[in-house]
Amino acid sequence: MIETAGIQPEDEVLEVGAGPGTLTADLVRLARRVVAVEVDQRLLSRLRAAAPEAEVLSADILELDLGTLFPEGGEVVVGNIPYYLSGALLRRLLEPEPRPKRLSLVVQREVAQRWCGEDGWSLSTVVVHAFSRPRLAFTLPPAAFRPPPKVHSALVVLEVLPRPALQVPDPARFFRFAASLFQFRRKQLQGSLARLSGLPAADVAARLRSLCIEPSRRPETLRLAEWEVLHEAFGSPMCSQPVITASSHRLR
């Protein structure tokens, strides 16, 4: 895990879920600065003893002001991520500026595969590919952890792009549009867009074909460039039809 993170002596590192300091002790020997975040106060004394050079923060990572901790961005983020937290943390790290340089995270294997687009696209895949180049480095069996989880895990590396690959005027609006369609992930685009926009299905189909997107396709088959043109045609405030809005949608 340490080797895959590619940490250089000049790097700053954000470790998420540092626990008792198993990784932290190695990180402080490699990086210029290590900020170790752990929410479980029972582990803090062991963490500080394992890595006294680290800046240890007892906090919820989702509530930290990362812009204050790393005002110039460019940090390397490492950690074993609680599986329930992976989606929310992903957007927390990638969407706001300044962004990290690299994310090297252990998550549930199926989550890593989804982020890399190996098993159809989801909203999280769109987010990952909008801001980074992902790769699944290796998998980890349950026996690699104590206590062992009931699922396999994987280390996924996200190399953050200098500039987002997503070229839209309002990224927040774009992701709301994508979330609305992913409510119908396995439904055909023609029916889902007609339902969400209020346009006749025939009009939706004609517009999709003009974009070289077959109306029978499903959201999980679309790639980033296709999401962009789809948003411009159906989710932009410049469109004549009602704007699609999304209800609360968990990023998976």
Side-chain angles (χ1 to χ4, degrees), residues 173-228:
R173 187 185 186 94
F174 169 85
F175 288 121
R176 288 196 300 271
F177 170 78
S180 69
L181 269 184
F182 274 117
Q183 294 178 86
F184 312 101
R185 183 182 177 189
R186 291 182 171 86
K187 300 292 185 181
Q188 294 186 4
L189 290 173
Q190 177 178 343
S192 300
L193 285 168
R195 177 177 177 179
L196 291 167
S197 68
L199 289 172
D203 291 353
V204 171
R207 187 175 296 192
L208 286 170
R209 290 193 180 96
S210 73
L211 303 173
C212 298
I213 297 174
E214 278 300 312
S216 61
R217 289 180 63 184
R218 293 165 171 79
E220 63 182 356
T221 70
L222 297 172
R223 298 301 178 256
L224 191 62
E226 293 173 315
W227 275 106
E228 285 193 53

Short mmCIF file of all heavy atoms in Angstrom, two decimals, residues 173-228:
data_model
loop_
_atom_site.label_atom_id
_atom_site.label_comp_id
_atom_site.label_asym_id
_atom_site.label_seq_id
_atom_site.Cartn_x
_atom_site.Cartn_y
_atom_site.Cartn_z
N ARG A 173 -24.83 21.24 -10.97
CA ARG A 173 -26.05 20.96 -11.73
C ARG A 173 -25.89 19.70 -12.57
O ARG A 173 -26.81 18.89 -12.69
CB ARG A 173 -26.38 22.17 -12.61
CG ARG A 173 -27.74 22.05 -13.32
CD ARG A 173 -27.95 23.22 -14.27
NE ARG A 173 -29.30 23.17 -14.83
CZ ARG A 173 -30.35 23.82 -14.32
NH1 ARG A 173 -30.20 24.57 -13.24
NH2 ARG A 173 -31.54 23.70 -14.88
N PHE A 174 -24.71 19.55 -13.15
CA PHE A 174 -24.45 18.35 -13.96
C PHE A 174 -24.61 17.09 -13.12
O PHE A 174 -25.24 16.12 -13.55
CB PHE A 174 -23.04 18.42 -14.54
CG PHE A 174 -22.59 17.12 -15.16
CD1 PHE A 174 -22.92 16.81 -16.47
CD2 PHE A 174 -21.84 16.21 -14.43
CE1 PHE A 174 -22.52 15.61 -17.05
CE2 PHE A 174 -21.44 15.00 -15.00
CZ PHE A 174 -21.78 14.71 -16.30
N PHE A 175 -24.03 17.07 -11.91
CA PHE A 175 -24.10 15.87 -11.09
C PHE A 175 -25.53 15.62 -10.58
O PHE A 175 -25.93 14.47 -10.39
CB PHE A 175 -23.11 15.95 -9.93
CG PHE A 175 -21.68 15.79 -10.37
CD1 PHE A 175 -20.74 16.78 -10.14
CD2 PHE A 175 -21.27 14.64 -11.04
CE1 PHE A 175 -19.43 16.65 -10.55
CE2 PHE A 175 -19.96 14.49 -11.47
CZ PHE A 175 -19.03 15.49 -11.23
N ARG A 176 -26.29 16.69 -10.37
CA ARG A 176 -27.71 16.47 -10.02
C ARG A 176 -28.45 15.83 -11.18
O ARG A 176 -29.31 14.95 -10.98
CB ARG A 176 -28.37 17.80 -9.63
CG ARG A 176 -27.92 18.36 -8.29
CD ARG A 176 -28.87 19.44 -7.79
NE ARG A 176 -28.97 20.57 -8.70
CZ ARG A 176 -28.18 21.63 -8.65
NH1 ARG A 176 -27.22 21.70 -7.75
NH2 ARG A 176 -28.35 22.64 -9.50
N PHE A 177 -28.13 16.27 -12.39
CA PHE A 177 -28.74 15.67 -13.58
C PHE A 177 -28.37 14.20 -13.69
O PHE A 177 -29.24 13.33 -13.93
CB PHE A 177 -28.27 16.44 -14.82
CG PHE A 177 -28.63 15.80 -16.12
CD1 PHE A 177 -29.91 15.90 -16.64
CD2 PHE A 177 -27.67 15.10 -16.85
CE1 PHE A 177 -30.24 15.31 -17.85
CE2 PHE A 177 -27.99 14.51 -18.06
CZ PHE A 177 -29.28 14.61 -18.56
N ALA A 178 -27.08 13.89 -13.51
CA ALA A 178 -26.65 12.50 -13.59
C ALA A 178 -27.31 11.65 -12.51
O ALA A 178 -27.74 10.53 -12.76
CB ALA A 178 -25.12 12.42 -13.48
N ALA A 179 -27.40 12.21 -11.29
CA ALA A 179 -28.02 11.46 -10.20
C ALA A 179 -29.48 11.14 -10.50
O ALA A 179 -29.97 10.06 -10.17
CB ALA A 179 -27.91 12.27 -8.90
N SER A 180 -30.16 12.09 -11.13
CA SER A 180 -31.57 11.86 -11.45
C SER A 180 -31.73 10.69 -12.41
O SER A 180 -32.66 9.88 -12.28
CB SER A 180 -32.21 13.13 -12.02
OG SER A 180 -31.69 13.43 -13.30
N LEU A 181 -30.84 10.57 -13.38
CA LEU A 181 -30.94 9.48 -14.34
C LEU A 181 -30.51 8.15 -13.73
O LEU A 181 -31.04 7.10 -14.09
CB LEU A 181 -30.11 9.78 -15.57
CG LEU A 181 -30.82 10.51 -16.71
CD1 LEU A 181 -29.90 10.66 -17.90
CD2 LEU A 181 -32.08 9.77 -17.13
N PHE A 182 -29.56 8.20 -12.80
CA PHE A 182 -29.11 6.95 -12.19
C PHE A 182 -30.14 6.38 -11.22
O PHE A 182 -29.98 5.26 -10.73
CB PHE A 182 -27.76 7.13 -11.50
CG PHE A 182 -26.59 6.94 -12.42
CD1 PHE A 182 -25.72 7.98 -12.69
CD2 PHE A 182 -26.39 5.72 -13.05
CE1 PHE A 182 -24.66 7.80 -13.55
CE2 PHE A 182 -25.32 5.53 -13.92
CZ PHE A 182 -24.45 6.57 -14.16
N GLN A 183 -31.18 7.13 -10.94
CA GLN A 183 -32.30 6.53 -10.23
C GLN A 183 -32.93 5.43 -11.07
O GLN A 183 -33.62 4.55 -10.55
CB GLN A 183 -33.35 7.58 -9.90
CG GLN A 183 -32.89 8.64 -8.92
CD GLN A 183 -33.96 9.67 -8.66
OE1 GLN A 183 -34.81 9.49 -7.81
NE2 GLN A 183 -33.93 10.74 -9.43
N PHE A 184 -32.70 5.50 -12.38
CA PHE A 184 -33.25 4.51 -13.33
C PHE A 184 -32.08 3.89 -14.09
O PHE A 184 -32.07 3.83 -15.32
CB PHE A 184 -34.21 5.19 -14.30
CG PHE A 184 -35.23 6.07 -13.62
CD1 PHE A 184 -35.07 7.45 -13.60
CD2 PHE A 184 -36.33 5.53 -12.98
CE1 PHE A 184 -35.99 8.27 -12.97
CE2 PHE A 184 -37.26 6.34 -12.35
CZ PHE A 184 -37.09 7.71 -12.34
N ARG A 185 -31.10 3.40 -13.35
CA ARG A 185 -29.83 2.96 -13.94
C ARG A 185 -30.02 1.92 -15.04
O ARG A 185 -29.33 1.93 -16.05
CB ARG A 185 -28.94 2.38 -12.82
CG ARG A 185 -27.57 1.94 -13.29
CD ARG A 185 -26.78 1.34 -12.15
NE ARG A 185 -25.49 0.85 -12.60
CZ ARG A 185 -24.67 0.14 -11.85
NH1 ARG A 185 -25.02 -0.17 -10.62
NH2 ARG A 185 -23.51 -0.29 -12.32
N ARG A 186 -30.95 1.00 -14.84
CA ARG A 186 -31.13 -0.08 -15.82
C ARG A 186 -32.35 0.12 -16.71
O ARG A 186 -32.77 -0.78 -17.42
CB ARG A 186 -31.20 -1.43 -15.09
CG ARG A 186 -29.86 -1.83 -14.48
CD ARG A 186 -29.91 -3.18 -13.80
NE ARG A 186 -28.58 -3.61 -13.43
CZ ARG A 186 -27.96 -3.28 -12.30
NH1 ARG A 186 -28.58 -2.50 -11.44
NH2 ARG A 186 -26.74 -3.72 -12.03
N LYS A 187 -32.93 1.31 -16.67
CA LYS A 187 -34.04 1.65 -17.56
C LYS A 187 -33.50 2.32 -18.82
O LYS A 187 -32.43 2.94 -18.81
CB LYS A 187 -35.03 2.59 -16.86
CG LYS A 187 -35.66 2.02 -15.59
CD LYS A 187 -36.59 0.86 -15.90
CE LYS A 187 -37.30 0.39 -14.63
NZ LYS A 187 -38.21 -0.75 -14.91
N GLN A 188 -34.25 2.23 -19.90
CA GLN A 188 -33.83 2.86 -21.15
C GLN A 188 -33.89 4.38 -21.03
O GLN A 188 -34.79 4.94 -20.40
CB GLN A 188 -34.71 2.38 -22.30
CG GLN A 188 -34.55 0.91 -22.61
CD GLN A 188 -35.32 0.47 -23.84
OE1 GLN A 188 -35.94 1.30 -24.53
NE2 GLN A 188 -35.29 -0.81 -24.14
N LEU A 189 -32.95 5.04 -21.69
CA LEU A 189 -32.86 6.49 -21.61
C LEU A 189 -34.13 7.17 -22.11
O LEU A 189 -34.57 8.18 -21.55
CB LEU A 189 -31.66 6.99 -22.42
CG LEU A 189 -30.27 6.68 -21.86
CD1 LEU A 189 -29.21 7.09 -22.88
CD2 LEU A 189 -30.05 7.41 -20.55
N GLN A 190 -34.70 6.66 -23.16
CA GLN A 190 -35.88 7.29 -23.74
C GLN A 190 -36.99 7.43 -22.70
O GLN A 190 -37.54 8.53 -22.51
CB GLN A 190 -36.38 6.47 -24.92
CG GLN A 190 -37.67 7.02 -25.54
CD GLN A 190 -38.12 6.21 -26.74
OE1 GLN A 190 -37.34 5.45 -27.32
NE2 GLN A 190 -39.36 6.37 -27.15
N GLY A 191 -37.31 6.36 -22.01
CA GLY A 191 -38.38 6.41 -21.02
C GLY A 191 -38.02 7.23 -19.81
O GLY A 191 -38.84 8.00 -19.30
N SER A 192 -36.77 7.10 -19.32
CA SER A 192 -36.36 7.84 -18.12
C SER A 192 -36.36 9.33 -18.36
O SER A 192 -36.85 10.12 -17.54
CB SER A 192 -34.98 7.37 -17.68
OG SER A 192 -34.98 5.99 -17.37
N LEU A 193 -35.80 9.76 -19.50
CA LEU A 193 -35.75 11.19 -19.80
C LEU A 193 -37.14 11.76 -20.06
O LEU A 193 -37.41 12.91 -19.68
CB LEU A 193 -34.82 11.43 -20.99
CG LEU A 193 -33.33 11.32 -20.70
CD1 LEU A 193 -32.53 11.27 -21.99
CD2 LEU A 193 -32.87 12.46 -19.81
N ALA A 194 -37.99 10.98 -20.69
CA ALA A 194 -39.36 11.45 -20.90
C ALA A 194 -40.06 11.64 -19.57
O ALA A 194 -40.77 12.64 -19.35
CB ALA A 194 -40.12 10.45 -21.78
N ARG A 195 -39.86 10.72 -18.66
CA ARG A 195 -40.49 10.79 -17.35
C ARG A 195 -39.97 11.98 -16.55
O ARG A 195 -40.74 12.69 -15.90
CB ARG A 195 -40.23 9.49 -16.60
CG ARG A 195 -40.78 9.46 -15.18
CD ARG A 195 -40.53 8.09 -14.56
NE ARG A 195 -41.00 8.04 -13.18
CZ ARG A 195 -40.92 6.96 -12.40
NH1 ARG A 195 -40.40 5.84 -12.90
NH2 ARG A 195 -41.35 6.99 -11.17
N LEU A 196 -38.68 12.21 -16.61
CA LEU A 196 -38.08 13.27 -15.80
C LEU A 196 -38.28 14.66 -16.39
O LEU A 196 -38.38 15.64 -15.66
CB LEU A 196 -36.58 13.00 -15.62
CG LEU A 196 -36.23 11.80 -14.74
CD1 LEU A 196 -34.76 11.44 -14.88
CD2 LEU A 196 -36.57 12.11 -13.29
N SER A 197 -38.31 14.74 -17.72
CA SER A 197 -38.39 16.06 -18.37
C SER A 197 -39.80 16.49 -18.71
O SER A 197 -40.07 17.67 -18.90
CB SER A 197 -37.55 16.05 -19.65
OG SER A 197 -38.14 15.19 -20.62
N GLY A 198 -40.71 15.52 -18.82
CA GLY A 198 -42.07 15.84 -19.24
C GLY A 198 -42.23 15.93 -20.74
O GLY A 198 -43.31 16.28 -21.23
N LEU A 199 -41.19 15.64 -21.50
CA LEU A 199 -41.27 15.65 -22.96
C LEU A 199 -41.88 14.35 -23.48
O LEU A 199 -41.74 13.30 -22.85
CB LEU A 199 -39.87 15.82 -23.56
CG LEU A 199 -39.20 17.18 -23.40
CD1 LEU A 199 -37.77 17.09 -23.88
CD2 LEU A 199 -39.96 18.25 -24.19
N PRO A 200 -42.54 14.38 -24.63
CA PRO A 200 -43.01 13.14 -25.25
C PRO A 200 -41.85 12.21 -25.55
O PRO A 200 -40.76 12.65 -25.94
CB PRO A 200 -43.70 13.62 -26.53
CG PRO A 200 -44.03 15.05 -26.27
CD PRO A 200 -42.94 15.58 -25.40
N ALA A 201 -42.09 10.92 -25.39
CA ALA A 201 -41.03 9.93 -25.60
C ALA A 201 -40.47 10.02 -27.02
O ALA A 201 -39.26 9.85 -27.24
CB ALA A 201 -41.56 8.53 -25.32
N ALA A 202 -41.33 10.29 -28.01
CA ALA A 202 -40.86 10.38 -29.39
C ALA A 202 -39.89 11.55 -29.57
O ALA A 202 -38.90 11.44 -30.30
CB ALA A 202 -42.04 10.53 -30.34
N ASP A 203 -40.17 12.67 -28.90
CA ASP A 203 -39.28 13.83 -28.98
C ASP A 203 -37.94 13.52 -28.31
O ASP A 203 -36.87 13.91 -28.80
CB ASP A 203 -39.91 15.04 -28.32
CG ASP A 203 -41.12 15.57 -29.10
OD1 ASP A 203 -41.37 15.06 -30.21
OD2 ASP A 203 -41.80 16.47 -28.57
N VAL A 204 -38.00 12.83 -27.18
CA VAL A 204 -36.77 12.44 -26.49
C VAL A 204 -35.94 11.53 -27.38
O VAL A 204 -34.72 11.70 -27.53
CB VAL A 204 -37.09 11.74 -25.15
CG1 VAL A 204 -35.83 11.13 -24.55
CG2 VAL A 204 -37.72 12.73 -24.18
N ALA A 205 -36.59 10.55 -28.00
CA ALA A 205 -35.87 9.62 -28.87
C ALA A 205 -35.21 10.33 -30.04
O ALA A 205 -34.06 10.05 -30.40
CB ALA A 205 -36.83 8.55 -29.37
N ALA A 206 -35.92 11.27 -30.63
CA ALA A 206 -35.36 12.01 -31.76
C ALA A 206 -34.15 12.83 -31.34
O ALA A 206 -33.13 12.88 -32.05
CB ALA A 206 -36.43 12.92 -32.37
N ARG A 207 -34.26 13.44 -30.18
CA ARG A 207 -33.14 14.25 -29.70
C ARG A 207 -31.94 13.37 -29.37
O ARG A 207 -30.79 13.72 -29.66
CB ARG A 207 -33.55 15.07 -28.48
CG ARG A 207 -32.48 16.07 -28.05
CD ARG A 207 -32.94 16.96 -26.91
NE ARG A 207 -34.05 17.81 -27.30
CZ ARG A 207 -34.49 18.84 -26.56
NH1 ARG A 207 -33.93 19.10 -25.39
NH2 ARG A 207 -35.51 19.57 -26.97
N LEU A 208 -32.17 12.21 -28.78
CA LEU A 208 -31.08 11.30 -28.47
C LEU A 208 -30.38 10.83 -29.74
O LEU A 208 -29.15 10.78 -29.81
CB LEU A 208 -31.60 10.09 -27.68
CG LEU A 208 -31.96 10.35 -26.22
CD1 LEU A 208 -32.69 9.15 -25.63
CD2 LEU A 208 -30.70 10.63 -25.41
N ARG A 209 -31.16 10.49 -30.76
CA ARG A 209 -30.55 10.04 -32.02
C ARG A 209 -29.73 11.15 -32.66
O ARG A 209 -28.71 10.88 -33.31
CB ARG A 209 -31.63 9.53 -32.97
CG ARG A 209 -32.26 8.20 -32.51
CD ARG A 209 -33.08 7.57 -33.61
NE ARG A 209 -33.66 6.31 -33.16
CZ ARG A 209 -34.90 6.18 -32.66
NH1 ARG A 209 -35.69 7.25 -32.59
NH2 ARG A 209 -35.33 5.00 -32.27
N SER A 210 -30.16 12.39 -32.50
CA SER A 210 -29.39 13.51 -33.05
C SER A 210 -28.04 13.65 -32.34
O SER A 210 -27.11 14.24 -32.89
CB SER A 210 -30.18 14.82 -32.93
OG SER A 210 -30.22 15.27 -31.58
N LEU A 211 -27.95 13.10 -31.13
CA LEU A 211 -26.69 13.12 -30.37
C LEU A 211 -25.88 11.85 -30.59
O LEU A 211 -24.85 11.65 -29.95
CB LEU A 211 -26.99 13.25 -28.87
CG LEU A 211 -27.80 14.47 -28.43
CD1 LEU A 211 -28.16 14.37 -26.95
CD2 LEU A 211 -27.03 15.75 -28.71
N CYS A 212 -26.37 10.98 -31.50
CA CYS A 212 -25.73 9.67 -31.76
C CYS A 212 -25.76 8.77 -30.53
O CYS A 212 -24.83 8.00 -30.27
CB CYS A 212 -24.29 9.85 -32.25
SG CYS A 212 -24.17 10.75 -33.81
N ILE A 213 -26.83 8.88 -29.75
CA ILE A 213 -27.05 8.02 -28.60
C ILE A 213 -28.36 7.27 -28.82
O ILE A 213 -29.41 7.89 -28.99
CB ILE A 213 -27.13 8.83 -27.29
CG1 ILE A 213 -25.80 9.56 -27.03
CG2 ILE A 213 -27.48 7.92 -26.11
CD1 ILE A 213 -25.85 10.49 -25.83
N GLU A 214 -28.29 5.97 -28.83
CA GLU A 214 -29.49 5.17 -29.05
C GLU A 214 -30.45 5.32 -27.88
O GLU A 214 -30.04 5.21 -26.72
CB GLU A 214 -29.13 3.70 -29.24
CG GLU A 214 -28.68 3.35 -30.64
CD GLU A 214 -29.77 3.66 -31.67
OE1 GLU A 214 -30.93 3.27 -31.44
OE2 GLU A 214 -29.44 4.30 -32.69
N PRO A 215 -31.73 5.57 -28.14
CA PRO A 215 -32.70 5.75 -27.05
C PRO A 215 -32.85 4.53 -26.15
O PRO A 215 -33.27 4.65 -25.00
CB PRO A 215 -34.01 6.03 -27.81
CG PRO A 215 -33.59 6.55 -29.14
CD PRO A 215 -32.33 5.83 -29.47
N SER A 216 -32.50 3.35 -26.65
CA SER A 216 -32.65 2.12 -25.85
C SER A 216 -31.50 1.90 -24.88
O SER A 216 -31.56 0.99 -24.05
CB SER A 216 -32.75 0.91 -26.78
OG SER A 216 -31.58 0.78 -27.57
N ARG A 217 -30.47 2.73 -24.95
CA ARG A 217 -29.34 2.55 -24.02
C ARG A 217 -29.75 2.91 -22.60
O ARG A 217 -30.75 3.58 -22.36
CB ARG A 217 -28.15 3.39 -24.48
CG ARG A 217 -27.49 2.84 -25.73
CD ARG A 217 -26.32 3.68 -26.15
NE ARG A 217 -25.26 3.69 -25.13
CZ ARG A 217 -24.15 4.44 -25.24
NH1 ARG A 217 -23.98 5.22 -26.31
NH2 ARG A 217 -23.23 4.41 -24.30
N ARG A 218 -28.94 2.48 -21.65
CA ARG A 218 -29.19 2.71 -20.24
C ARG A 218 -28.10 3.60 -19.66
O ARG A 218 -26.98 3.62 -20.18
CB ARG A 218 -29.26 1.38 -19.49
CG ARG A 218 -30.48 0.55 -19.90
CD ARG A 218 -30.38 -0.89 -19.45
NE ARG A 218 -31.65 -1.60 -19.66
CZ ARG A 218 -32.08 -2.07 -20.82
NH1 ARG A 218 -31.34 -1.90 -21.91
NH2 ARG A 218 -33.24 -2.71 -20.92
N PRO A 219 -28.38 4.33 -18.57
CA PRO A 219 -27.37 5.23 -18.00
C PRO A 219 -26.05 4.54 -17.68
O PRO A 219 -24.98 5.14 -17.82
CB PRO A 219 -28.06 5.75 -16.73
CG PRO A 219 -29.51 5.69 -17.05
CD PRO A 219 -29.68 4.46 -17.90
N GLU A 220 -26.08 3.28 -17.25
CA GLU A 220 -24.85 2.59 -16.86
C GLU A 220 -23.93 2.33 -18.04
O GLU A 220 -22.76 1.97 -17.84
CB GLU A 220 -25.18 1.29 -16.16
CG GLU A 220 -25.92 0.29 -17.02
CD GLU A 220 -26.28 -0.99 -16.27
OE1 GLU A 220 -25.88 -1.10 -15.10
OE2 GLU A 220 -26.94 -1.85 -16.86
N THR A 221 -24.42 2.52 -19.29
CA THR A 221 -23.57 2.30 -20.48
C THR A 221 -22.93 3.57 -21.00
O THR A 221 -22.08 3.51 -21.89
CB THR A 221 -24.40 1.68 -21.62
OG1 THR A 221 -25.31 2.66 -22.14
CG2 THR A 221 -25.16 0.45 -21.14
N LEU A 222 -23.32 4.72 -20.47
CA LEU A 222 -22.80 6.00 -20.99
C LEU A 222 -21.40 6.28 -20.46
O LEU A 222 -21.07 5.94 -19.32
CB LEU A 222 -23.73 7.14 -20.58
CG LEU A 222 -25.16 7.09 -21.14
CD1 LEU A 222 -26.00 8.17 -20.48
CD2 LEU A 222 -25.16 7.25 -22.65
N ARG A 223 -20.60 6.93 -21.27
CA ARG A 223 -19.27 7.37 -20.86
C ARG A 223 -19.28 8.89 -20.69
O ARG A 223 -20.24 9.56 -21.00
CB ARG A 223 -18.22 6.91 -21.87
CG ARG A 223 -18.13 5.38 -21.98
CD ARG A 223 -17.78 4.76 -20.63
NE ARG A 223 -17.73 3.30 -20.67
CZ ARG A 223 -18.67 2.51 -20.19
NH1 ARG A 223 -19.80 3.03 -19.69
NH2 ARG A 223 -18.53 1.21 -20.22
N LEU A 224 -18.15 9.43 -20.19
CA LEU A 224 -18.15 10.82 -19.74
C LEU A 224 -18.54 11.80 -20.85
O LEU A 224 -19.34 12.72 -20.64
CB LEU A 224 -16.78 11.18 -19.17
CG LEU A 224 -16.71 12.52 -18.43
CD1 LEU A 224 -17.62 12.51 -17.21
CD2 LEU A 224 -15.27 12.81 -18.01
N ALA A 225 -17.97 11.64 -22.05
CA ALA A 225 -18.28 12.56 -23.14
C ALA A 225 -19.77 12.50 -23.49
O ALA A 225 -20.38 13.53 -23.83
CB ALA A 225 -17.44 12.22 -24.36
N GLU A 226 -20.37 11.32 -23.41
CA GLU A 226 -21.79 11.19 -23.70
C GLU A 226 -22.63 11.85 -22.61
O GLU A 226 -23.68 12.44 -22.89
CB GLU A 226 -22.15 9.72 -23.84
CG GLU A 226 -21.52 9.07 -25.06
CD GLU A 226 -21.73 7.57 -25.11
OE1 GLU A 226 -21.55 6.91 -24.05
OE2 GLU A 226 -22.06 7.05 -26.18
N TRP A 227 -22.18 11.76 -21.37
CA TRP A 227 -22.90 12.45 -20.29
C TRP A 227 -22.89 13.96 -20.51
O TRP A 227 -23.87 14.64 -20.23
CB TRP A 227 -22.27 12.11 -18.93
CG TRP A 227 -22.78 10.84 -18.34
CD1 TRP A 227 -22.15 9.64 -18.25
CD2 TRP A 227 -24.07 10.63 -17.75
NE1 TRP A 227 -22.96 8.70 -17.67
CE2 TRP A 227 -24.14 9.29 -17.34
CE3 TRP A 227 -25.17 11.46 -17.55
CZ2 TRP A 227 -25.27 8.75 -16.73
CZ3 TRP A 227 -26.30 10.93 -16.94
CH2 TRP A 227 -26.35 9.60 -16.53
N GLU A 228 -21.79 14.47 -21.01
CA GLU A 228 -21.71 15.92 -21.26
C GLU A 228 -22.73 16.37 -22.30
O GLU A 228 -23.46 17.35 -22.08
CB GLU A 228 -20.30 16.29 -21.71
CG GLU A 228 -19.28 16.30 -20.59
CD GLU A 228 -17.98 16.97 -21.01
OE1 GLU A 228 -18.04 18.11 -21.50
OE2 GLU A 228 -16.92 16.34 -20.88
#
